Amino acid sequence: LTFSPADPHALYFSNQFVFRTTDGGNHWEKISPDLTRETPEVPSTLDPATIADSEEKGPRRGVVYTIAPSPLTASDIWCGTDDGLVWRTRDSGKSWTNVTPRELTAWSKVSVLEASHFDADTAYAAVDRHRLDDLRPWIYRTRDGGRSWSRIVEGIPVGDYVNVVREDPARRGLLFAGTETGVF
């Protein structure tokens, strides 16, 4: 659930879809298709009892976990799922483009996306992969609208898996990362 910094009337909510209201929650419009993985593979780190115990039946299990409306343009929205996908719309949800970094697999939780305050084609993604027994820090940056991504984790030790990344709204290039054990 997040407000748009570019449109003070727009509030977004998600499950596997993204919804928007512009009238204080009286009416909601679904602005996306299901953005989760259609058939996520089950990771080798998950035990058979947990797999069998799932209440969720069917192939889709994920949710849109993070919504990042651009502070620069009201129609530009980034979304990330808890099953490892990153999406972007530039037209308020009429069309969506999968801009997922190539390395991300199912069970990679995109915990936070941050649309840049300075450049519409720059965004940051904090990714938590501890469910895959991967405790390395995962922060990505794109500067070309999601066509390519770079990992930017220098200085964050292994074991500090990342929960959040935020860009300073006044000082270009200054980022903050919140990990399981500290702030960088």
Side-chain angles (χ1 to χ4, degrees), residues 78-112:
W78 301 76
C79 292
T81 69
D82 69 344
D83 57 8
L85 296 176
V86 178
W87 294 87
R88 185 181 189 190
T89 180
R90 292 179 168 198
D91 57 11
S92 298
K94 292 179 184 84
S95 61
W96 290 84
T97 303
N98 184 334
V99 294
T100 304
R102 288 189 185 115
E103 296 179 290
L104 285 190
T105 62
W107 298 79
S108 299
K109 179 171 68 175
V110 182
S111 55
V112 169

Side-chain angles (χ1 to χ4, degrees), residues 10 16 21 36 75 77 82 85-86 88 109 112 130 142 165 176 178:
Q16 72 271 33
T21 183
T36 63
S75 61
I77 307 162
D82 69 344
L85 296 176
V86 178
R88 185 181 189 190
K109 179 171 68 175
V112 169
H130 86 273
T142 182
V165 62
F176 297 91

Side-chain angles (χ1 to χ4, degrees), residues 42-65:
V42 176
S44 61
T45 55
L46 200 60
D47 63 279
T50 302
I51 295 168
D53 192 35
S54 174
E55 292 180 21
E56 190 71 31
K57 301 302 177 203
R60 290 185 186 251
R61 297 174 183 234
V63 298
V64 175
Y65 199 80

